[in-house]
Amino acid sequence: MSNNDLAIVILAAGKGTRLKSSLAKVLHRAGGRTLVEHIVRAGAPLKARETVVVVGHQAEQVAAVVEPLDAVTVLQQPQNGTGHAMLVAKRSLGRAKLAVVLPGDAPLVRTETLKALVTAHRNGSAAATILSAVLADPSGYGRVVRKSETTVSAIVEESQLTDEQRDINEINSAIYCFTLEKFWSALAQVRPNNKHRELYLTDAIAVLSSRSETVLAQVAADSREVLGCNTRADLADVDRVFREWKRNALMDTGVTIQLPETVLIDPDVIVGEDTIIEPAVQLLGKTKIGARCTIRTGSVLTDAVLGDEVTVEPHCVVAQSRLDDRVIIGPFARLRIGTHLKRGARVGNFVETKKAVIGEGAKVPHLTYLGDAKVGPKSNIGAGTITCNYDGFHKHPTNIGKGVFIGSDSVLVAPVRIGDGAYIAAGSTITDNVPPQGLGIARGRQVNKPGWAAKKRRDLAAAEKPKKASSKRKPRRRSKKRK
Ligand code: UD1
Ligand code: MG
């Protein structure tokens, strides 16, 4: 279907008073993206000649989201209603004959539904085609008043419903296809006759109908697609639907997700076949996970890239890091920006890394901080090892060679190099480079003093004795106290 006679208009200028927020409504997020971004993306495959976004509240921030997606913006200032928003968009629509109009706050609409709307509009030679939905609870929405089984006589806003109309459960999604010439002439007749003194786009429907123009309503197959976000509760509902769709899509491609309703996955995340995701996991940003991995409960991965057969034990936090095939981390590991664990490396509990490259098969099993560090293959970093990478002014590198053994509780004061195959004695504070195959030892030498403890105890006991004796000599006072 060629759509070069079609423009898309997204109305995104409103503040969103009902959200009670300092952030403009369309910049709120659901399903891992801002509301307005979802809508621009849903419309893009229609290949319209133009996508125009009407902006007003926080116009610059909204423009910064939609312009990289090839949409143009027009400024509506002040915001005098959805009909007024259309008038502001008018000059940007060029020679388009049709327009698909969408609100900026109904982000679940799918491309297929929009394509079907345009097709129904063209096939029915309509002046307007409304995407409607039948809802169990229609409150808060404008209602579709039918003229016949296929045509519509009006949309009535919630505030203006008569008692009879209140029972209508077919609602206006605020997604429409208009034949523009007819729409503009009808909109010209609309007046701001409502308590907000706004020009309602929905009032143009009654005008078209009274002129015997064809106004159709197409009922959405999945009513969830039209959910608008006017309140925080609406945002939560919409988020829940997006998350469910994403999880279902991954399960369809061979990913196991346990207790799926507890797992949060952003839209751009990729997961390979036979990977298992345990309950309460979050996979965020551009995270990419290979095949046959296990991501265990409570772990949060943001912009992480994992190879195949990687195990993330419970409660790990990973951001902007790379884990090659067969790596095992956690439980309770924290990998920060720029961490790269090479094939088969192991990072255990209570280990934090930042800008750290850990070589193949190397182990950092417990209680360690590695920052701005390189660890060669097959090296072993003992419990409690810390890189002192920051001197209060600058960050400095620590370079540990291959096959190195760092004894427990060592402090490596950067910049420092530990040569291949070297040993560091436990408890050392290493300030100088250690040569390959050497031993670095930097701690006080142990001195044993035989019998010292026994003598100490005897001395202490002797010092205590006179005190005890004197307290025994005052029994009368104690009995007085007891009275
Ligand atoms: C609107 C419809 C209602 C429908 C519902 C579906 C109207 C008058 N009512 O109501 O029939 O059932 O959507 O969700 O259209 N906007 C502007 N400029 C303005 C006013 C609004 O750009 O001057 C934008 C808003 O940013 C928003 C969209 O238009 O994205 C819809 O406005 P909103 O206030 O959410 O209308 P609803 O009360 O939800
Ligand atoms: Mg709304």
Side-chain angles (χ1 to χ4, degrees), residues 148-163:
S148 73
E149 213 165 281
T150 50
T151 61
V152 172
S153 66
I155 292 169
V156 182
E157 288 307 302
E158 168 108 344
S159 58
Q160 285 154 350
L161 290 172
T162 63
D163 283 347

Side-chain angles (χ1 to χ4, degrees), residues 372-385:
D372 304 294
K374 271 195 191 135
V375 176
K378 297 258 185 263
S379 288
N380 191 309
I381 312 295
T385 298

